[in-house]
């Protein structure tokens, strides 16, 4: 499953540069599928949804750092453990029960975003 940042976040910013999928954004910042991935133009996600990878998407939080579930792979394919959770000083990066995925699904997402790795 994806990781979610809870409202205990203190906006320290430590997690953001650690994410291998660029799935973490500062509150109120727009996000894009193409940021930090190989995606560009119109793409069909592994869940079948068609999106424009270049298009700016609405922030998920206006106040706190947030994680884009479609881009988070729990660090599968890159690291043994979620890097955001490893560096967060207040342990507010936790499993997102609303976005449960199997290891195979997470690895498929990782390969989809980074086919050249
Ligand atoms: S678990 Fe890994 S991929 Fe997901 S947001 Fe945290 S650092 Fe990024
Ligand atoms: S490391 Fe933790 S406290 Fe710092 S911005 Fe990320 S989620 Fe928030």
């Amino acid at each position: 499953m994806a990781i979610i940042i809870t409202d205990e976040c203190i906006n320290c910013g430590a997690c953001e540069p650690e994410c291998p999928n660029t799935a973490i954004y500062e509150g109120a910042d727009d996000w894009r599928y193409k940021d930090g991935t190989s995606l560009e133009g119109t793409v069909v996600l592994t869940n079948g949804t068609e999106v424009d990878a270049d298009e700016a998407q609405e922030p998920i939080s206006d106040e706190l750092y947030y994680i884009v579930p479609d881009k988070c792979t729990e660090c599968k394919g890159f690291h043994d453990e979620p890097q955001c959770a490893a560096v967060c000083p207040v342990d507010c990066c936790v499993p997102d029960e609303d976005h449960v995925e199997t290891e195979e699904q997470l690895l498929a997402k990782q390969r989809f975003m980074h086919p050249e790795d």
Side-chain angles (χ1 to χ4, degrees):
M1 64 192 83
I3 301 295
I4 191 170
I5 293 174
T6 73
D7 59 10
E8 286 165 35
C9 171
I10 57 172
N11 279 332
C12 74
C15 54
E16 191 252 321
E18 301 301 322
C19 180
N21 293 313
T22 312
I24 303 174
Y25 291 82
E26 187 172 356
D29 277 1
D30 292 340
W31 65 275
R32 295 167 184 76
Y33 285 96
K34 76 168 185 183
D35 296 336
T37 73
S38 297
L39 304 179
E40 55 182 1
T42 302
V43 295
V44 178
L45 305 180
T46 55
N47 65 12
T49 308
E50 185 174 291
V51 300
D52 180 349
D54 304 328
E55 188 180 356
Q57 309 285 337
E58 293 281 313
I60 293 174
S61 171
D62 284 330
E63 281 127 36
L64 302 175
Y65 277 76
Y66 66 87
I67 293 172
V68 176
D70 276 352
K71 297 182 76 180
C72 175
T73 65
E74 249 183 83
C75 286
K76 299 285 185 203
F78 290 108
H79 304 287
D80 291 337
E81 60 175 353
Q83 297 299 287
C84 50
V87 301
C88 180
V90 294
D91 292 334
C92 69
C93 302
V94 300
D96 182 354
E97 304 293 341
D98 289 335
H99 292 95
V100 178
E101 295 159 289
T102 65
E103 176 150 355
E104 288 70 28
Q105 287 173 313
L106 292 167
L107 285 170
K109 272 166 71 176
Q110 191 268 345
R111 283 193 296 271
F112 175 72
M113 291 190 285
H114 307 276
E116 77 289 0
D117 289 346

